[in-house]
Amino acid sequence: MRESLGIALDSTSISTALVDADTPRLGSIDEFRHGWGEGGGVPTAHASARALASATQVAIERAARSHMQPTVIGVLCERADVRDLIPQTLPAQAFGDVVVVNGLDARLAYLRAVDALAAVSQILAFWPEGTETVIAAIDLRAGTLASAHRYISAELLASSATFTATLDAIVVQQDPVPKMLVAMGAPEQDSELSATAAERSGLGFLFLGERTQLAIGTALVAAARPAPATASPVPGVFGGAGEAVPTAAASRRWAPLVLLSVLLVLGGLLIGLLSVLAPDNARTATTDRSNTDTPPAQPGGEHRPESSHGERRSGSDASASESAIPGPAGQGGGGVGEGTGPSPQVPPLPAESLRPCDPVVPAAPARLRRSDPDLPTTSPTQTPEAEPCTPTRNG
């Protein structure tokens, strides 16, 4: 078990998540999210740095109460002014190994840990960033980004027709074709519009409403980094001593084996007790026909049992009743001879083309604002004055 702590800080909230890097699909072990800036104000850089240090210390103490010991801390900070203060805010002498993670790596790590996407490779994922929305084509199996585009959120999410046209313009450029549209951190009021657009574009849809998904992804990225040779557990977990950690870990490791041994001994004693208390004349159920009271079926032509009135039905009556039993199409009942006539033929339904239920509304895709400069794009809607940027490598 490798516990890793992830911290994600932006202008509206700070989130922490403790995960087990060996079983990432189980989700977070412990998580916490604190929102701020509800009144529209953004905390200063030094206030945000102090909040980051406080949240990290609280998360470490919460892990200590559960006898867990994070060995690495990952920090994702979308604010550059706060990011510069991380070395002073989280010094290695007090917090151990601290890894700064960018937003794209954290999102990729989180998507690869979602159990619903285990069998999917090519997807389109979108998430909001301020007043813009990023739509990225991702190969989950390779963990790589094929393309990324930015759009104005108010224009992209104005209607499902505009969103559908935008998705169609992106899908035709991808090889292989994406199979699913994934919403990451999008508002819940946009989930229905996104699902409708995905259905019209021939894509599956998955809405990820986990509020601490960036913190979970940050913890997974930090745990995947090669640890230094002198890596040590995060200090301050159990106070100054810290000798209780190996003892607790060893007891957790041997507890399943002790429990299994006790269950095996109790099972053997129970079986022996039942064998001693079982009566001698107990009859054991078997599938042998010799133990049953019902005689074997008589072959055709031999003596048959009489009816309850002591009379035997005539051959004509028997054959009439047998022919009355319904059987497969074109045959007599019960497989006794052929039917008296062919089965009626059901005329096929007339083939007619069904008109679509939804009206076809022509719509143009949203205007492309910016794209990843490292990836070529052939979008016809790109404006020539678009400035170069790296839209997903922030934080």
Side-chain angles (χ1 to χ4, degrees), residues 288-300 302-305:
D288 190 359
R289 299 183 62 88
S290 60
N291 293 335
T292 61
D293 298 332
T294 304
Q298 298 293 335
E302 296 183 2
H303 174 72
R304 296 183 179 179

Side-chain angles (χ1 to χ4, degrees), residues 126 135 153-169 181 189-203 205 358-366:
F126 73 96
I135 302 180
S153 300
E155 180 181 354
L156 177 66
L157 303 176
S159 64
S160 60
T162 303
F163 201 176
T164 302
T166 306
L167 293 178
D168 293 340
L181 177 66
Q189 58 266 23
D190 297 334
S191 61
E192 184 176 356
L193 182 145
S194 305
T196 303
E199 182 180 2
R200 292 178 177 177
S201 299
L203 302 173
F205 180 72
D358 298 333
V360 179
V361 179

